Amino acid sequence: MRDYPAAFVERARRSTLLAPFAGHSRTPPPVWLMRQAGRYLPEYREVRAKAGSFLDLCYTPELAAEVTLQPIRRYAFDAAIVFADILVVPDALGQRVAFVEGEGPRLDPIRSERDLGRLIADPGSAKLLAVYETVRRVRAGLSAEAGLIGFCGGPWTVATYMVGGRGTPDQADARLWAYRDPAGFQRLIDLVTELSIDYLRGQIAAGADVVQIFDSWAGSLADDGFTRWVVAPTARIVAALKADHPAVPVIGFPRGAAARLADYVESTDVDGVSCDTSVPLGVMRSLPDDVVVQGNLDPLLLVAGGAALEERVGTLLDAMQGRRFIFNLGHGIVPETPPEHVGRLVRAVRRGG
Ligand code: CP3
């Protein structure tokens, strides 16, 4: 049994999101969706157009808080996730980050120790402070029952963007650097890990109840690389947060690592684990009882809607019956998702399938 302070267990009675962490059983389970704020919502596109660029939106607390709350108002999700991005950390380190319309993120790639030397970890960066201010505003706009999730990227995943300069299908640049120069690559991982700890601490101090570490490319490493570049930095983040915030659960999302989930959970000491769509329900069920399992509905089922969606929601709820569970997708909502399918999903979860 996880050792949460008594005050947390008490608070968890009134918070739908925290309840499973404290072991309070709940039917239906809490529900929120990764990327629940975003382009599939017309009200998001309106604010996004007003903000200018995606990063301008992330760094304008008034607008970022507004888009964070939009899906809560529309669907009454049990949790809000602060509107920001995992690439806020490289941006705050001084690497140039831009989001190119229709293409995705572009960064000036870090390829050498010299490039690395130009980065500066400043926990007081105005960019990070803007995200903390968004968290404060969202907290003020949420009911007591609704949870607020802060997040960062897993250091490995963030490093794949920093080294590749963009999203890469195979993370080849980062893997090659890690194989050719593990000590140099370790310095990059350490830099990202340390700033991520400060960043999550700042979000917690501003009002985040739970934090999630998004390691979207955790699946691209062999077991020794996974241990060194995914598990070890995650364990360090969890230990640092537990030392000063024992009442804030940490959810890990090692996407693509189904076969290593049990090891990841045990070795990192995360309180919850988010499962991608490829994780078999049997694996989700077999994880230790005191770990909260989250996931793993296919985001494309939410695009398809209809009987296939309803059926799978029922299967997932039945399979997770009696275990600590948070309903979610296996990856983020895609922009093509019809908003009414999201409403139907939430209603299906709440009536039990
Ligand atoms: O879940 C939420 O609602 C919170 C906000 C959030 C965003 N990105 C907003 C966003 C979160 C948690 C993320 C995480 C993130 N960002 C990840 C990890 C999860 C995953 O999806 O694998 C990664 C890898 C990124 C990096 C990133 N950000 C990429 C590759 C892209 C481009 C692809 C795309 O969908 O456009 C983004 C942009 C981004 N981040 C958008 C949003 C809403 C779309 C931006 C827009 O409005 O133009």
Side-chain angles (χ1 to χ4, degrees):
M1 183 60 201
R2 279 170 195 253
D3 212 8
Y4 290 113
F8 173 82
V9 177
E10 198 39 49
R11 194 154 66 87
R13 290 185 199 286
R14 293 183 307 276
S15 160
T16 323
L17 178 70
L18 295 181
F21 293 99
H24 306 314
S25 84
R26 271 210 191 246
T27 311
V31 51
W32 69 279
L33 304 179
M34 293 191 262
R35 289 275 185 102
Q36 62 191 17
R39 283 166 296 186
Y40 76 106
L41 287 178
E43 60 268 35
Y44 170 83
R45 293 196 297 269
E46 206 172 294
V47 175
R48 170 79 161 73
K50 202 160 69 180
S53 77
F54 170 67
L55 281 176
D56 288 336
L57 176 52
C58 293
Y59 299 140
T60 310
E62 188 193 347
L63 300 181
E66 167 58 22
V67 298
T68 304
L69 290 167
Q70 284 171 345
I72 310 300
R73 287 190 208 112
R74 203 190 246 260
Y75 304 112
F77 285 121
D78 295 302
I81 177 161
V82 62
F83 191 83
D85 196 83
I86 67 165
L87 301 182
V88 161
V89 164
D91 197 28
L93 284 167
Q95 183 173 16
R96 222 176 51 86
V97 180
F99 283 82
V100 179
E101 219 46 66
E103 290 190 36
R106 292 291 181 272
L107 301 85
D108 286 347
I110 306 291
R111 290 283 163 79
S112 63
E113 294 268 341
R114 193 143 57 89
D115 295 339
L116 200 53
R118 290 198 203 98
L119 302 181
I120 299 165
D122 170 16
S125 148
K127 292 167 178 171
L128 303 186
L129 299 184
V131 176
Y132 308 154
E133 178 57 22
T134 303
V135 173
R136 272 189 287 275
R137 285 175 185 240
V138 173
R139 184 74 271 175
L142 275 181
S143 72
E145 299 81 52
L148 177 47
I149 301 169
F151 74 91
C152 71
W156 161 251
T157 291
V158 172
T160 67
Y161 287 93
M162 295 178 77
V163 178
R166 54 168 69 201
T168 47
D170 51 8
Q171 298 77 55
D173 300 304
R175 283 157 65 203
L176 284 171
W177 187 355
Y179 299 146
R180 286 177 176 147
D181 172 24
F185 190 70
Q186 183 74 54
R187 276 190 281 282
L188 172 59
I189 290 285
D190 289 345
L191 190 65
V192 173
T193 303
E194 288 307 319
L195 193 61
S196 300
I197 291 169
D198 289 326
Y199 183 43
L200 291 178
R201 280 185 174 138
Q203 295 180 58
I204 292 167
D209 306 302
V210 170
V211 295
Q212 178 158 324
I213 302 169
F214 287 84
D215 227 338
S216 307
W217 300 118
S220 60
L221 290 164
D223 48 8
D224 52 348
F226 183 77
T227 300
R228 179 158 184 186
W229 309 119
V230 172
V231 169
T234 304
R236 193 157 140 203
I237 295 174
V238 175
L241 296 181
K242 293 286 169 202
D244 44 27
H245 299 290
V248 176
V250 182
I251 302 173
F253 178 36
R255 191 166 72 97
R260 292 190 280 251
L261 272 190
D263 170 36
Y264 174 90
V265 164
E266 191 188 315
S267 309
T268 60
D269 204 29
V270 288
D271 305 270
V273 66
S274 202
C275 299
D276 67 67
T277 300
S278 76
V279 180
L281 296 181
V283 170
M284 289 168 72
R285 252 198 320 256
S286 70
L287 291 169
D289 289 342
D290 63 347
V291 169
V292 175
V293 165
Q294 175 177 277
N296 70 343
L297 191 83
D298 188 344
L300 293 188
L301 266 178
L302 200 51
V303 176
L309 172 65
E310 307 253 334
E311 202 177 301
R312 183 65 187 178
V313 170
T315 304
L316 188 48
L317 288 175
D318 287 348
M320 295 301 122
Q321 194 61 249
R323 77 149 302 139
R324 300 179 187 207
F325 179 56
I326 296 173
F327 197 98
N328 209 316
L329 301 176
H331 200 195
I333 294 186
V334 300
E336 299 74 29
T337 306
E340 57 283 8
H341 289 187
V342 177
R344 243 172 266 155
L345 168 68
V346 172
R347 285 193 295 278
V349 172
R350 296 213 164 121
R351 63 162 192 268

